[in-house]
Amino acid sequence: MEKFCLCFSSGKDSMLALDRMLREGGQPIGLITSMNDAVDYSWFHGIPPQILEKISDSLNIPLVKVVNNAENYEDKMVSALKQMRTQGATVCGFGDIDIEQNGQWDSETAKKAGLIPLLPLWQEPRQQIVEEFMNRGFIAIIKTISKASDIPLHFLGQPLTQEFFSYLNEHDLDVCGENGEYHTLVIDGPLFTKRIDYIEEGIYESDYAYSLIIR
């Protein structure tokens, strides 16, 4: 069994990538999550460290928090991946689907650390990915919504459901949110030993609207 680490956002795509790698016999040694050093929340999804620790405990996979900013983001990530290599990892997994710039960054970053990049979802049909995620029994909430997408904010903080996917399809929006239309937080599923409890405290709005989870 090859040892691997995973660049982990806590969202549906990285969780499904993890699920597939485990089903193929991989041995996980670390979940690598980048944290915005200005606010101590994860980049893009806005997850507080307490929730990330709960997820790590429930999955029984160590969490590696990489505190960084826009200037040192890549250098810090490469350094963390090199540490994973010293612990025996040979592969680094990513949950990206088909944006070439993202896939290129994944590949180059892993290789700089001496790891083999693996993108289990790469270039697969979007609808197939979300259907597999749901059929596997994972439960996620809609954590952030891009205000540019015009997705109604009443979906924010709600469970990821077929109703939401239907809305996206009807409005010609990416069902996976690969272009940043929305992000999710996975709180339960077949890999979890216990469901993740959390407390919401309103909505924070900037270019994105965030369901503000405090712990």
Side-chain angles (χ1 to χ4, degrees), residues 147-196:
K147 294 171 79 173
S149 72
D150 290 326
I151 296 173
L153 295 190
H154 70 75
F155 284 115
L156 198 61
Q158 297 302 306
L160 195 63
T161 63
Q162 189 55 54
E163 176 192 359
F164 182 66
F165 295 136
S166 295
Y167 175 89
L168 297 177
N169 283 322
E170 289 166 4
H171 291 80
D172 295 321
L173 293 168
D174 187 336
V175 73
C176 280
E178 182 73 349
N179 300 293
E181 293 88 345
Y182 73 98
H183 295 299
T184 57
L185 168 65
V186 185
I187 59 172
D188 204 359
L191 305 182
F192 289 72
T193 58
K194 58 183 176 182
R195 185 184 177 103
I196 306 304

Side-chain angles (χ1 to χ4, degrees), residues 1-6 18 21-22 24-31 61 81 83-93 114-118:
M1 294 194 302
E2 281 199 283
K3 292 183 178 179
F4 71 89
C5 58
L6 178 78
L18 173 63
M21 294 174 78
L22 289 172
E24 291 177 4
Q27 181 181 346
I29 65 168
L31 302 173
I61 304 173
L81 295 183
Q83 286 297 315
M84 290 289 95
R85 184 167 173 257
T86 66
Q87 295 178 35
T90 58
V91 171
C92 182
L115 298 173
I116 300 167
L118 180 63

Side-chain angles (χ1 to χ4, degrees), residues 33-161:
T33 302
S34 57
M35 307 292 293
N36 186 329
D37 66 5
V39 294
D40 198 30
Y41 279 70
S42 70
W43 282 95
F44 313 117
H45 290 63
I47 311 300
Q50 301 95 320
I51 295 296
L52 292 168
E53 293 286 357
K54 287 182 180 182
I55 294 170
S56 169
D57 290 344
S58 184
L59 296 174
N60 197 28
I61 304 173
L63 174 68
V64 179
K65 292 178 289 184
V66 183
V67 181
N68 52 23
N69 55 48
E71 285 70 37
N72 63 22
Y73 189 97
E74 183 174 323
D75 289 343
K76 293 276 191 175
M77 289 295 289
V78 170
S79 179
L81 295 183
K82 285 181 177 179
Q83 286 297 315
M84 290 289 95
R85 184 167 173 257
T86 66
Q87 295 178 35
T90 58
V91 171
C92 182
F94 301 86
D96 288 298
I97 299 172
D98 65 6
I99 294 178
E100 290 293 340
Q101 181 180 356
N102 293 349
Q104 182 177 356
W105 187 91
D106 296 343
S107 180
E108 291 176 353
T109 302
K111 288 176 180 178
K112 285 179 182 178
L115 298 173
I116 300 167
L118 180 63
L119 289 76
L121 312 182
W122 191 247
Q123 294 187 336
E124 293 195 5
R126 303 281 212 278
Q127 192 65 37
Q128 177 180 308
I129 289 171
V130 296
E131 288 177 1
E132 180 181 348
F133 177 83
M134 300 296 283
N135 290 338
R136 284 286 294 154
F138 288 105
I139 298 173
I141 63 168
I142 300 164
K143 179 63 175 64
T144 71
I145 290 175
S146 169
K147 294 171 79 173
S149 72
D150 290 326
I151 296 173
L153 295 190
H154 70 75
F155 284 115
L156 198 61
Q158 297 302 306
L160 195 63
T161 63

